[in-house]
Structure formats: structure tokens, C-alpha cells
Amino acid sequence: MLWTGVFAAFVLGTYLLMWRAWKKRGRRQAGLPAPADAPADLGTPLLPTLTGRYFGSTSAGNWLDRIVAHGLGTRSAVEATLTEKGLRVDRPAAAGFFIPAADLAGARFEKAAAGKVLPEGGLLVVTWTLGDTRIDTGLRSDHVADHDAWVDAVTRLAAGDAPALTGTKTGTNSITSTNQEGTQQ
């Protein structure tokens, strides 16, 4: 009985310390501005909505430095919509947010974000700027094959070359863009 009590006290103490560290990190990040709210008119979607998991946001390039301010560290299911105006992230477990197209820096494949490790290339990471802070946000689609189209579309949108959805081929989307001369790429 004594060992059970000691073990329960140890587990409770560990959770208490983790909770205090989470709150302390939130206070340290209190100067981070709140993410934007989505505009009433998002415009035309560039890709079908990504449904899957939101793994959290971290300081860019540091997959263990989770951003907890404004609920950005809360893991959740996600529905992400990419339009020419930016990226809307809707989460049932936390407040959704919007990343304006001007704040997007790009997207890439990773295997880890916010302390979560997945198979090589199993995570879609969107890099963006919030105030003066560069942030990596980790998403994983229910259909990992969609990640290629998302990386391409977000990268083009971040570069100011908004891709256009041209149709569907066997479940994946074909994305094209128009260069300055008006020809499709």
C-alpha cells in the first residue's frame, strides 16, 4: 500500500510540474500577438479542404520549442483551407486562426514537429510569420498523398504566385500557375 501511495504521489507531482512548465511557457510567450481571424470572404479555395491532425506550432527550425500562447500548442483534429487570401485553420479543440498570404513563408515535409515524430516526410510543415516571430505549424492530412499538392500550393502562394486549381485527376489535384507572360506552368 505504501508503494502505491509513493507511486501515485510521484505521478501527481510529475503532472503538476508539467502543468506549471506549460503555464510558464505561456507567460514567456505572452508578447506574441494573437493570430488573425479569418475574413468573412475567404475567396476561392486553391485546394480541397485538408482534414487531419494539427500537431502544434513551434519556433521555426526548432521542432521542440512549442508555441503555447493563444492555443497554438494544442493538438487537435483540423480542417485547413488554402485560398488566395491565406490559410484558414479550424480546430474543434482550440480556437481556429488565419494566416494571411503575405505572412506565409513556405511549406515542406518533415518527420517531426512539436515533440511528435512521424515517418520520414509524414508531416506537412507550414512556415509563417506572426508579428516578428517565425513559426512552423505541423499538419498531417488523413490522405498523406495530398501533402505534395499542399507544399506546392503554399510555396507558390508565399512567393506571390497564386496557384489555381485546374481539376482533379484520380483523387489528387493538378495545380498550375500563370507567370507574368500569361503562360501556364
Side-chain angles (χ1 to χ4, degrees), residues 42-113:
L42 281 175
T44 306
L46 301 175
L47 294 170
T49 300
L50 178 144
T51 56
R53 297 288 303 163
Y54 172 86
F55 283 99
S57 294
T58 64
S59 299
N62 188 350
W63 68 281
L64 291 173
D65 185 24
R66 186 186 300 257
I67 304 288
V68 301
H70 311 294
L72 292 174
T74 305
R75 288 191 178 138
S76 175
V78 69
E79 285 189 1
T81 306
L82 184 67
T83 71
E84 67 271 358
K85 292 185 180 181
L87 176 64
R88 178 179 173 168
V89 179
D90 293 315
R91 304 174 296 157
F97 58 95
F98 180 73
I99 306 169
D103 293 342
L104 288 170
R108 67 186 184 282
F109 297 110
E110 287 289 340
K111 69 176 188 175

Side-chain angles (χ1 to χ4, degrees), residues 155-173:
T155 301
R156 287 181 184 212
L157 188 59
D161 183 19
L165 183 62
T166 60
T168 303
K169 295 180 183 176
T170 63
T172 60
N173 295 309

Side-chain angles (χ1 to χ4, degrees), residues 156 161-164 166 175-185:
R156 287 181 184 212
D161 183 19
T166 60
I175 298 173
T176 63
S177 65
T178 306
N179 63 19
Q180 292 176 352
E181 292 80 34
T183 60
Q184 285 191 345
Q185 297 178 349

